Amino acid sequence: PDLLPTCNGEITTMSFLQDVVDILLQYVVKSFDRSTKVIDFHYPNELLQEYNWELADQPQTLEEILLNCRTTLKYAIKTGHPRYFNQLSTGLDMVGLAADWLTSAANTNMFTYEIAPVFVLLEYVTLRKMREMVGWPGGCGDGIFSPGGAISNMYAMLIARFKMFPEVKEKGMAAIPRLVAFTSEHSHFSVKKGAAALGIGTDSVILIRCDERGKMIPSDLERRIIEAKQKGFVPFLVSATAGTTVYGAFDPLIAIADICKKYKIWMHVDGAWGGGLLMSRKHKWKLNGVERANSVTWNPHKMMGVPLQCSALLVREEGLMQSCNQMHASYLFQQDKHYDLSYDTGDKALQCGRHVDVFKLWLMWRAKGTTGFEAQIDKCLELAEYLYNKIKNREGYEMVFDGKPQHTNVCFWYIPPSLRGMEDSEERTSRLMKVAPVIKARMMEYGTTMVSYQPLGDKANFFRMVISNPAATHQDIDFLIDEIERLGQDL
C-alpha cells in the first residue's frame, strides 16, 4: 500500500526493492557455494503445514512480504549450484539474470514493433544469426521464440501440415487425408503431444527403431514410410532428434534428409538439447545435415545456459509461418501504420500475449561472443568425457551403452556390492530397479547433489548424468561418484 504509484511512495519503493535485491544477491552467491545444500528437501505436506501459504482478504505488511520471498528461496532448488545435474537446463548466468530483470521491468509484449520496438528488432537479428549457424544461406527464413521446445516442435508440425494442405486452416482435419508423422523411439514425448493437440492423434506418430546408441535407423524409417503410403496414409513430417533426452544421441541427419527429399516429406530437427553444439567448432559436426532441414528447434535455455525460458523454432521458408497462423486482428495489426509492417511479428505466433525471451540470449551473446559460448559448451562436453573415462572400468559401475558419449549425457548403473557377484536374472533386475531411486531419495534428503534416473525399454533404472552448467568442475564430478558410492554402499 505504501509503494508506488502511491503518492510519495518513491522512498518506500526504493528501500523495498533494495531489500528484495539483497535477498536475491545472497541467494545468487549461495547458489555457487559448494558448502551449501543443492536442496533443503521437505515432503509436500510438511511444507504446506509448516507455513501459512493461504491467500487472505487483508493485506500483509512489507516485512511479511520480504519474509515470503526469503522462505520461497530457502526451499527452492538451487539450479545454478555446481552439483545440480538433474535437468538439461542448469546453471545461473549473471548477464542472463540481469537481462531477465530488465525484461520484467520493461514488462511489454512481443506482438508489435509499436509496443516492443527494441525487443522486436533483437528477435529479428538473433533469429537470423541462429539460422546462419544452422547453415541456411545468409540466415534466410523465419522463426519465433516460443515457450519451450514442446511448443516449438508443435509449431513445426503445424507449419508442415499447412505447407502440404493449406486448406486445413479453414476446413480442419475433416477436409484432408489421414496424416502420419515419423520420429525415433528415443525422441521427446512432445512430438506425440503435438499430434494430440493438433487433432492428428498420437496413433499417427510412427516410432522408428534406434540402434544401441539411440540413433534413428534410416532403413527402418524408409521401410515405415513405404508401409504407411501403401496403407493410404500421407506422411507429412519426419522429426529427427539432435541430442536425445536420455542418451544424448544425434540422429543421422544426412541420411534422413535424403529420405525426406525422396518422399517429399517435411524434415524437422528437434535440436532442443543438441542445438547448442552449433556454437562449437569442435562438436558441430554432430549436426551435419541440419542445414537441409525445413525447420529446427533449438533451446538456448539448455546447453547454452540462458535463463528459462528461451526456445527458438527456425523455419527455412520465409512467409510460411505468417500465412499458417495469421488471423489479421484489426485491433492489433492495423495495415495503415506509419512504419514497416513486416516488424509486426505477432500474427505469426499461436500466442497473442508473448513474453520477451530474446533479450537474455542477445545480451549474453554480446557479453560472451560466440567464442564464449563455445568455450562453455566445450568445457561441459569435456567434463562428461572425464566422468565417462572415470567410471567405464570402475568397480561397481556398468555403462548403459558402449563407447564415448556424443553429448554430455552419461548413462550408467551403479551396482551395489550385494549385487556384484549375481548373474543376470529377473531377481537381479528387480533389485537393480530399486537402487537408483533409493540413492536419489537419499541425495535429496541430504541435499548434497541431484542427478536424474529412469528405466528405458527393458533396461532397469539407470542414472542419466547431464552437464550443462559451466560452473561444474572435475572435483564436482569426483564428488558425485563418491556420493553415489557413499549412499548406495549398503543396498
Side-chain angles (χ1 to χ4, degrees):
D2 310 324
L3 303 176
L4 285 172
T6 302
C7 186
N8 299 328
E10 293 89 339
I11 292 167
T12 324
T13 298
M14 294 297 271
S15 91
F16 169 69
L17 289 177
Q18 193 59 62
D19 288 342
V20 173
V21 169
D22 290 343
I23 292 170
L24 294 174
L25 294 179
Q26 283 164 25
Y27 178 78
V28 167
V29 171
K30 256 194 200 152
S31 282
F32 297 102
D33 175 0
R34 286 173 175 77
S35 69
T36 65
K37 290 178 164 192
V38 173
I39 170 181
D40 182 354
F41 181 76
H42 287 62
Y43 287 95
N45 55 341
E46 294 175 348
L47 258 190
L48 272 175
Q49 284 155 18
E50 204 166 317
Y51 294 91
N52 175 17
W53 305 99
E54 295 308 315
L55 298 164
D57 292 342
Q58 297 308 314
Q60 288 195 308
T61 64
L62 288 180
E63 278 63 48
E64 288 171 306
I65 296 304
L66 290 169
L67 197 60
N68 294 156
C69 292
R70 280 200 186 86
T71 306
T72 302
L73 285 179
K74 175 172 161 57
Y75 298 108
I77 313 291
K78 295 194 186 75
T79 54
H81 197 291
R83 290 173 182 168
Y84 173 80
F85 302 111
N86 209 61
Q87 247 59 44
L88 303 182
S89 45
T90 64
L92 183 56
D93 188 274
M94 296 303 109
V95 173
L97 181 62
D100 222 350
W101 289 350
L102 183 143
T103 303
S104 292
N107 190 32
T108 188
N109 202 321
M110 278 303 283
F111 37 56
T112 58
Y113 181 82
E114 180 178 329
I115 61 159
V118 179
F119 296 134
V120 162
L121 294 180
L122 295 183
E123 188 169 67
Y124 170 78
V125 167
T126 307
L127 288 168
R128 188 181 59 199
K129 177 75 174 173
M130 291 171 85
R131 291 191 299 266
E132 231 170 75
M133 300 193 81
V134 164
W136 295 333
C140 69
D142 209 336
I144 198 138
F145 282 91
S146 88
I151 305 291
S152 294
N153 288 342
M154 190 169 89
Y155 268 118
M157 297 181 99
L158 189 68
I159 296 164
R161 178 176 71 177
F162 176 80
K163 172 74 177 169
M164 196 176 261
F165 295 104
E167 63 272 28
V168 72
K169 183 175 172 181
E170 287 80 21
K171 308 256 185 306
M173 290 297 282
I176 62 171
R178 172 83 190 274
L179 301 179
V180 283
F182 304 84
T183 190
S184 91
E185 55 190 8
H186 283 224
S187 69
H188 194 259
F189 68 85
S190 56
V191 180
K192 280 193 164 181
K193 205 170 248 216
L198 299 178
I200 295 162
T202 55
D203 287 353
S204 305
V205 178
I206 296 170
L207 299 182
I208 306 304
R209 295 221 322 275
C210 291
D211 65 15
E212 65 288 341
R213 295 285 312 249
K215 298 166 183 285
M216 188 195 288
I217 300 171
S219 59
D220 193 52
L221 172 65
E222 185 160 24
R223 184 178 72 79
R224 301 300 298 268
I225 289 172
I226 293 166
E227 216 173 80
K229 288 172 80 106
Q230 282 166 350
K231 289 180 183 162
F233 299 145
V234 178
F236 82 108
L237 170 123
V238 173
S239 180
T241 313
T244 59
T245 313
V246 180
Y247 281 10
F250 289 80
D251 285 345
L253 301 181
I254 294 173
I256 293 168
D258 289 342
I259 293 168
C260 288
K261 186 180 173 189
K262 180 171 170 183
Y263 295 98
K264 300 190 174 56
I265 304 173
W266 183 281
M267 177 182 171
H268 175 60
V269 174
D270 176 1
W273 174 221
L277 268 51
L278 291 168
M279 308 293 273
S280 162
R281 284 165 293 195
K282 185 177 172 187
H283 295 287
K284 68 175 182 205
W285 62 270
K286 294 166 188 175
L287 289 102
N288 281 351
V290 69
E291 68 288 346
R292 294 176 60 189
N294 299 91
S295 56
V296 177
T297 292
W298 175 355
N299 286 8
H301 71 222
K302 293 198 168 94
M303 201 60 210
M304 289 161 65
V306 177
L308 284 158
Q309 56 201 20
C310 187
S311 170
L313 174 77
L314 309 169
V315 182
R316 190 166 61 186
E317 185 182 326
E318 203 178 338
L320 193 56
M321 220 174 175
Q322 188 77 9
S323 24
C324 174
N325 293 328
Q326 69 187 356
M327 289 294 153
H328 305 291
S330 57
Y331 47 82
L332 259 189
F333 308 112
Q334 302 90 340
Q335 296 306 294
D336 45 9
K337 291 183 180 179
H338 63 293
Y339 58 81
D340 177 353
L341 294 175
S342 71
Y343 292 105
D344 282 2
T345 51
D347 215 6
K348 68 183 178 195
L350 280 180
Q351 300 163 264
C352 174
R354 192 160 67 88
H355 187 258
V356 175
D357 291 328
V358 67
F359 190 63
K360 299 170 283 199
L361 171 58
W362 180 83
L363 202 66
M364 281 172 67
W365 210 324
R366 296 279 284 199
K368 291 176 201 287
T370 307
T371 54
F373 276 125
E374 175 179 52
Q376 190 173 305
I377 286 162
D378 287 354
K379 179 189 169 183
C380 289
L381 278 124
E382 189 276 316
L383 282 176
E385 200 173 331
Y386 171 79
L387 170 63
Y388 167 73
N389 289 331
K390 197 168 160 140
I391 62 175
K392 66 177 175 189
N393 299 317
R394 187 182 178 96
E395 195 193 0
Y397 290 84
E398 275 177 34
M399 304 310 296
V400 173
F401 55 83
D402 291 332
K404 197 173 95 174
Q406 278 223 294
H407 205 351
T408 70
N409 309 50
V410 183
C411 297
F412 61 90
W413 287 283
Y414 171 69
I415 316 288
S418 70
L419 291 181
R420 283 179 204 170
M422 275 179 90
E423 62 269 18
D424 213 2
S425 66
E426 265 183 44
E427 199 210 336
R428 183 182 185 271
T429 307
S430 78
R431 284 178 62 183
L432 188 56
M433 198 73 180
K434 299 185 180 99
V435 172
V438 172
I439 293 177
K440 171 69 177 270
R442 291 175 179 179
M443 276 177 181
M444 289 178 72
E445 281 168 1
Y446 282 106
T448 47
T449 182
M450 281 175 76
V451 57
S452 78
Y453 71 84
Q454 67 282 301
L456 190 72
D458 57 353
K459 293 178 165 62
N461 279 321
F462 56 86
F463 286 111
R464 177 206 62 170
M465 171 67 179
V466 280
I467 303 159
S468 59
N469 184 353
T473 62
H474 292 114
Q475 287 78 11
D476 295 314
I477 305 293
D478 297 343
F479 174 84
L480 175 81
I481 292 170
D482 292 343
E483 199 60 358
I484 286 176
E485 291 171 5
R486 176 178 84 87
L487 299 173
Q489 210 56 30
D490 63 331
L491 294 176

